[in-house]
PDB file of all heavy atoms in Angstrom:
ATOM      1  N   GLU B  74    -113.634 -66.864 -12.008  1.00 89.00           N
ATOM      2  CA  GLU B  74    -112.379 -67.182 -11.280  1.00 89.00           C
ATOM      3  C   GLU B  74    -112.651 -67.869  -9.964  1.00 89.00           C
ATOM      4  O   GLU B  74    -111.723 -68.180  -9.220  1.00 89.00           O
ATOM      5  CB  GLU B  74    -111.625 -65.861 -11.025  1.00 89.00           C
ATOM      6  CG  GLU B  74    -111.242 -65.157 -12.321  1.00 89.00           C
ATOM      7  CD  GLU B  74    -110.541 -63.858 -12.069  1.00 89.00           C
ATOM      8  OE1 GLU B  74    -110.546 -63.380 -10.920  1.00 89.00           O
ATOM      9  OE2 GLU B  74    -109.918 -63.335 -12.979  1.00 89.00           O
ATOM     10  N   ARG B 499    -118.557 -69.395 -16.819  1.00 87.00           N
ATOM     11  CA  ARG B 499    -117.509 -69.462 -17.806  1.00 87.00           C
ATOM     12  C   ARG B 499    -118.051 -69.616 -19.197  1.00 87.00           C
ATOM     13  O   ARG B 499    -117.256 -69.584 -20.182  1.00 87.00           O
ATOM     14  CB  ARG B 499    -116.560 -70.669 -17.467  1.00 87.00           C
ATOM     15  CG  ARG B 499    -115.773 -70.357 -16.211  1.00 87.00           C
ATOM     16  CD  ARG B 499    -114.923 -71.501 -15.842  1.00 87.00           C
ATOM     17  NE  ARG B 499    -114.017 -71.090 -14.732  1.00 87.00           N
ATOM     18  CZ  ARG B 499    -113.050 -71.839 -14.245  1.00 87.00           C
ATOM     19  NH1 ARG B 499    -112.831 -73.048 -14.770  1.00 87.00           N
ATOM     20  NH2 ARG B 499    -112.264 -71.438 -13.275  1.00 87.00           N
ATOM     21  N   CYS B 517     -99.389 -60.868 -31.478  1.00 98.00           N
ATOM     22  CA  CYS B 517     -98.656 -59.720 -32.020  1.00 98.00           C
ATOM     23  C   CYS B 517     -97.351 -60.202 -32.573  1.00 98.00           C
ATOM     24  O   CYS B 517     -96.471 -60.697 -31.823  1.00 98.00           O
ATOM     25  CB  CYS B 517     -98.464 -58.668 -30.923  1.00 98.00           C
ATOM     26  SG  CYS B 517     -97.469 -57.290 -31.572  1.00 98.00           S
ATOM     27  N   ASN B 520     -94.296 -58.326 -30.759  1.00 97.00           N
ATOM     28  CA  ASN B 520     -94.160 -58.339 -29.299  1.00 97.00           C
ATOM     29  C   ASN B 520     -94.435 -56.930 -28.741  1.00 97.00           C
ATOM     30  O   ASN B 520     -93.743 -56.517 -27.811  1.00 97.00           O
ATOM     31  CB  ASN B 520     -92.742 -58.707 -28.855  1.00 97.00           C
ATOM     32  CG  ASN B 520     -92.190 -59.858 -29.662  1.00 97.00           C
ATOM     33  OD1 ASN B 520     -92.852 -60.517 -30.442  1.00 97.00           O
ATOM     34  ND2 ASN B 520     -90.894 -60.076 -29.530  1.00 97.00           N
TER      35      ASN B 520
ATOM     36  N   GLN C  26    -114.466 -73.512 -21.496  1.00 54.00           N
ATOM     37  CA  GLN C  26    -115.080 -72.168 -21.428  1.00 54.00           C
ATOM     38  C   GLN C  26    -114.314 -71.210 -22.261  1.00 54.00           C
ATOM     39  O   GLN C  26    -113.391 -71.574 -22.999  1.00 54.00           O
ATOM     40  CB  GLN C  26    -115.200 -71.703 -19.991  1.00 54.00           C
ATOM     41  CG  GLN C  26    -116.092 -72.642 -19.255  1.00 54.00           C
ATOM     42  CD  GLN C  26    -117.481 -72.798 -19.835  1.00 54.00           C
ATOM     43  OE1 GLN C  26    -118.000 -71.868 -20.385  1.00 54.00           O
ATOM     44  NE2 GLN C  26    -118.031 -73.979 -19.811  1.00 54.00           N
ATOM     45  N   ARG C  35    -106.615 -66.704 -18.000  1.00 86.00           N
ATOM     46  CA  ARG C  35    -106.239 -66.383 -16.610  1.00 86.00           C
ATOM     47  C   ARG C  35    -106.772 -67.490 -15.652  1.00 86.00           C
ATOM     48  O   ARG C  35    -106.376 -67.519 -14.474  1.00 86.00           O
ATOM     49  CB  ARG C  35    -106.887 -65.015 -16.271  1.00 86.00           C
ATOM     50  CG  ARG C  35    -108.393 -65.056 -16.106  1.00 86.00           C
ATOM     51  CD  ARG C  35    -108.968 -63.690 -15.928  1.00 86.00           C
ATOM     52  NE  ARG C  35    -110.254 -63.674 -15.377  1.00 86.00           N
ATOM     53  CZ  ARG C  35    -111.385 -64.032 -16.043  1.00 86.00           C
ATOM     54  NH1 ARG C  35    -111.316 -64.412 -17.319  1.00 86.00           N
ATOM     55  NH2 ARG C  35    -112.546 -64.062 -15.423  1.00 86.00           N
ATOM     56  N   ARG C  71     -91.308 -66.928 -33.617  1.00 98.00           N
ATOM     57  CA  ARG C  71     -91.310 -66.639 -32.220  1.00 98.00           C
ATOM     58  C   ARG C  71     -92.047 -67.781 -31.425  1.00 98.00           C
ATOM     59  O   ARG C  71     -91.522 -68.266 -30.415  1.00 98.00           O
ATOM     60  CB  ARG C  71     -91.959 -65.311 -31.915  1.00 98.00           C
ATOM     61  CG  ARG C  71     -91.620 -64.783 -30.492  1.00 98.00           C
ATOM     62  CD  ARG C  71     -92.464 -63.602 -30.131  1.00 98.00           C
ATOM     63  NE  ARG C  71     -93.840 -63.937 -29.871  1.00 98.00           N
ATOM     64  CZ  ARG C  71     -94.881 -63.230 -30.238  1.00 98.00           C
ATOM     65  NH1 ARG C  71     -94.699 -62.064 -30.898  1.00 98.00           N
ATOM     66  NH2 ARG C  71     -96.100 -63.614 -29.967  1.00 98.00           N
TER      67      ARG C  71
END
Side-chain angles (χ1 to χ4, degrees):
Chain B
E74 299 178 347
R499 290 177 173 187
C517 176
N520 320 346
Chain C
Q26 297 305 324
R35 72 189 199 286
R71 195 190 73 218

